[in-house]
Amino acid sequence: MSKNTPEGRLVHEETFPVRWGDQDAYGHVNNTVYFRFFEEARIRWFDSLTLTADGQGEGPVIVTTAATFHQELIHPATIRIEVRTGRAGNSSLENIYRVLDADDGTLYASGSAKVVWIDHDTGRPTPLPDQLRALDVESGQ
């Protein structure tokens, strides 16, 4: 599934139904829910790589995150979340997200997160696993 674009390298996709409870008093998906969408797709991606995010040993933490809202999203809908990778550092990897309509591809939101790999016992950064470092968008792999 690896495809390089100016928006990063596509590494994972997930499809989710929008739940009625994801909406707020304005009748659209609440802005905080998008970060849950990003999180769920990211954790499922890590799980698919057998990289646990259970708070034990070494694993990921988010140090920055952002979202841009392009189009109002309302229930009912089915969305596709794309997870892309950008630049990798010694202990960090840029994640880029797109929230799209699963049927027609409408872009509802885009976002990013900087993931830092840490040793949970010490709380200190540790080198990225090789399989993540290999995804650096600038590596050309």
Side-chain angles (χ1 to χ4, degrees), residues 66-106:
T68 301
F69 308 103
H70 303 279
Q71 176 85 21
E72 186 176 52
L73 175 56
I74 59 172
H75 176 272
T78 302
I79 55 171
R80 184 178 81 246
I81 311 297
E82 293 180 349
V83 179
R84 296 172 180 269
T85 60
R87 183 143 161 61
N90 182 49
S91 61
S92 66
L93 181 65
E94 177 185 20
N95 282 179
I96 302 155
Y97 309 100
R98 294 184 351 134
V99 179
L100 305 150
D101 188 279
D103 295 322
D104 68 17
T106 298

Side-chain angles (χ1 to χ4, degrees), residues 17-88:
V18 173
R19 301 169 304 173
W20 183 86
D22 291 335
Q23 298 178 105
D24 60 19
Y26 297 108
H28 59 241
V29 171
N30 185 275
N31 61 313
T32 62
V33 174
Y34 290 86
F35 294 100
R36 289 284 184 196
F37 294 156
F38 300 164
E39 175 186 58
E40 187 68 27
R42 179 178 57 251
I43 296 303
R44 289 185 185 191
W45 172 49
F46 286 151
D47 285 348
S48 77
L49 298 173
T50 63
L51 296 171
T52 60
D54 62 4
Q56 303 296 315
E58 295 179 355
V61 296
I62 302 300
V63 296
T64 61
T65 189
T68 301
F69 308 103
H70 303 279
Q71 176 85 21
E72 186 176 52
L73 175 56
I74 59 172
H75 176 272
T78 302
I79 55 171
R80 184 178 81 246
I81 311 297
E82 293 180 349
V83 179
R84 296 172 180 269
T85 60
R87 183 143 161 61

